[in-house]
Amino acid sequence: MKTQAFGIFEGGGAKGLAHAGALKAAENKFEYIGVAGTSAGAIIAALIACRYEADEIYSKGNPSGLFSADLTKLLDPGEWQSISKVRREFLKSGGIRTTKIARRRKLAVWLICCICIAVFVTSLLLGGLALYSLGSLAVFLLLLLLCSQKSRSTTADLSLLFMQWIQFHIRALRYWKLIRTVTKNHGILTTQIFHTWLNDVLGEKLRQHDPAFQPSGNDGCVTFADLPIPLKIIACDFKNRKMRVFQSPQDDQISVADAVCASMSIPVAFVPKEIENELYVDGGIMSNFPAWVFDTERKTAPRLTPTIGFRLIDGRVSSAGTEDRRFLQHMSDVSYSAFFGDNTLETRNVSTLHELKLRVKLDLLDFDANKDEKDAVYDAAYRDAKDCLSEKVHRPPDARMAQILKIVEQAVRRELNHEGHLRISILLPTDINHLQVVYSINMNNEFDCDDRLVLGKHQGCCGKCWESVDIIVCDLEDAKTTFASKWNMDKYQQRLVRETLKSLCSVPILSQKEPLDTLEGKRGAFLGVMSLDSDDDMVDKFRETASQPQNILVECAAVLATRLQDGVWA
């Protein structure tokens, strides 16, 4: 049985090919009830929203896969050739050859000295405040160069930088037409060919599921209203300096292909996309990994519904230490930090997020990667996703668990001879540090707000049970004054606890498939906590029962463990 999940796909230009390999690894585990993405991630998310499978997107043995063809054919052929030449010359040529560095450094130093002297002499002859300031600056640079002769590294850095500056401008003159295109259109490549292709493949897939399907948008465009799976796409409205989330229902009549093209329009490389009289560029500028985008949907989805995040990690060998590419490498690192840096702000408060970190040895604009390179990216992503999915993660709640809890309640009442108030809940880890109620019985009263209580390790009776992997009993009357000193809870957590409760017992739920003969074995087998509490004074009964080697509490926890083990995907 597949687990329902939200899917988040990070942007990364040509790196997005890795998503296909990761999708293949996760395909048999998840059924997506909502997908979102930025840039290349938006492309993948749109395809999944139309129910494309991993092999249909890319597969080593499927030459008809969507990404198996030459991806550069989906771009402007002529302009792409120009970009390729620039990339080869400026980014992949390695800059100035190391065999010529020493001679060119010496030449650059004397050239800078001559320019500084000429500027200073001119300022003296012509006069004027501006030229005088410029002349003073020239003298300063001249003195800096002369004084730095004792430090070869300083002289080398200054001369090399100046040499690369001159070399850059000489080369730039050869691409004057390309520069004019950028200044005129604010980008080089258009997305018209890709737009047509994407709209066609989306429509084709929807017609496979429904032969009578007709796109609801103008000019036969597939819109957000046509999609069987909710889709959210992130773009940047740069003129208004704000982020735009294209989604249903407010964007039902907007073309999905338009939104994807807006999200993938990398600044300078692509011309900004116009939608409803607004211009958009790559959404990665604002949020490249929008794990937060389903915050509202998570509140109404079953608890523990996982959010699977497909992340793109740079897997290339850094060349930051090479002398001749120091400045270019610096600019590359800055760009990558902007798009692929720390995603803490995008992922905070998403407690059910599970990241699949995919190492990719492609650059943003490596759309011309050959089959061997694509296969290598696919294989690496498949392996990385498999490794990430090997961790134990709970499925969303099972409706049948309520029936099992009812049986547990009857058994506990009979054994403890108790007919009064009794609540039973199961708390499961939402991440490696926090527990929350996922299943419960008799917690539907208006005063039962503690089903929203989140406890960390060491916090409360349940947190101490998790830490010690042992039965813990708590006198809740005493805890009203010792919640901070004894139970490590803050006042906000304490306020969520039902005020009339007097007694609480927490029992660890341990997997029967794991070794239980050591403390570390028990911690490895930990699945969650069974919590029993009451408005009646049952502290002594709980303690007496817990002290017995064979007791009803442990037996009930074992029954729950059997069911929970079936609810773990691994």
Side-chain angles (χ1 to χ4, degrees), residues 355-565:
E355 294 185 49
L356 309 185
K357 296 184 178 181
L358 316 175
R359 292 166 297 175
V360 191
K361 293 184 179 180
L362 286 180
D363 202 354
L364 283 170
L365 296 177
D366 282 341
F367 296 109
D368 53 355
N370 58 40
K371 187 179 187 305
D372 290 340
E373 292 173 326
K374 291 181 180 179
D375 288 348
V377 168
Y378 178 92
D379 289 339
Y382 181 86
R383 291 192 300 269
D384 287 342
K386 274 286 188 182
D387 291 341
C388 293
L389 291 173
S390 65
E391 301 176 4
K392 293 180 180 179
V393 182
H394 291 288
R395 292 179 186 270
D398 182 352
R400 287 171 290 185
M401 188 62 80
Q403 300 173 0
I404 299 175
L405 281 178
K406 190 65 178 178
I407 296 172
V408 169
E409 179 195 9
Q410 293 171 357
V412 171
R413 287 184 181 278
R414 184 169 55 251
E415 185 71 20
L416 300 184
N417 191 26
H418 179 72
E419 297 182 356
H421 176 261
L422 181 66
R423 305 189 312 173
I424 303 178
S425 58
I426 299 176
L427 294 88
L428 300 180
T430 55
D431 57 32
I432 61 174
N433 292 313
H434 297 91
L435 287 168
Q436 186 173 353
V437 174
V438 177
Y439 305 101
S440 64
I441 189 170
N442 302 329
M443 289 186 72
N444 51 5
N445 189 284
E446 61 178 311
F447 301 109
D448 297 322
C449 299
D450 39 0
D451 59 344
R452 292 294 177 184
L453 185 62
V454 177
L455 293 171
K457 286 184 180 180
H458 317 287
Q459 286 190 314
C461 189
C462 294
K464 288 185 177 292
C465 173
W466 184 7
E467 178 189 10
S468 64
V469 202
D470 198 2
I471 299 176
I472 303 293
V473 178
C474 174
D475 182 343
L476 291 176
E477 288 287 352
D478 175 72
K480 289 179 180 179
T481 56
T482 62
F483 64 86
S485 60
K486 189 174 180 179
W487 300 100
N488 300 318
M489 292 172 60
D490 60 41
K491 62 182 181 181
Y492 304 105
Q493 292 172 315
Q494 178 62 25
R495 288 293 292 173
L496 286 175
V497 177
R498 179 182 168 106
E499 189 175 358
T500 55
L501 288 176
K502 294 182 179 179
S503 49
L504 168 64
C505 180
S506 295
V507 185
I509 304 173
L510 306 177
S511 168
Q512 305 304 304
K513 298 179 181 179
E514 308 289 345
L516 304 178
D517 53 344
T518 65
L519 179 59
E520 288 305 316
K522 290 181 179 180
R523 285 174 176 163
F526 180 83
L527 294 175
V529 173
M530 179 179 71
S531 175
L532 305 95
D533 55 38
S534 175
D535 289 348
D536 304 321
D537 186 359
M538 297 181 63
V539 174
D540 291 339
K541 282 187 178 181
F542 283 147
R543 286 175 176 163
E544 180 182 355
T545 304
S547 64
Q548 301 172 4
Q550 299 291 331
N551 62 72
I552 188 64
L553 301 178
V554 174
E555 291 175 1
C556 288
V559 171
L560 295 173
T562 302
R563 187 63 198 170
L564 286 175
Q565 284 171 168

Side-chain angles (χ1 to χ4, degrees), residues 78-94:
E79 301 297 353
W80 172 255
Q81 292 299 323
S82 299
I83 288 182
S84 297
K85 290 180 181 178
V86 173
R87 293 178 68 228
R88 285 195 299 270
E89 187 163 355
F90 285 94
L91 301 181
K92 295 188 175 182
S93 63

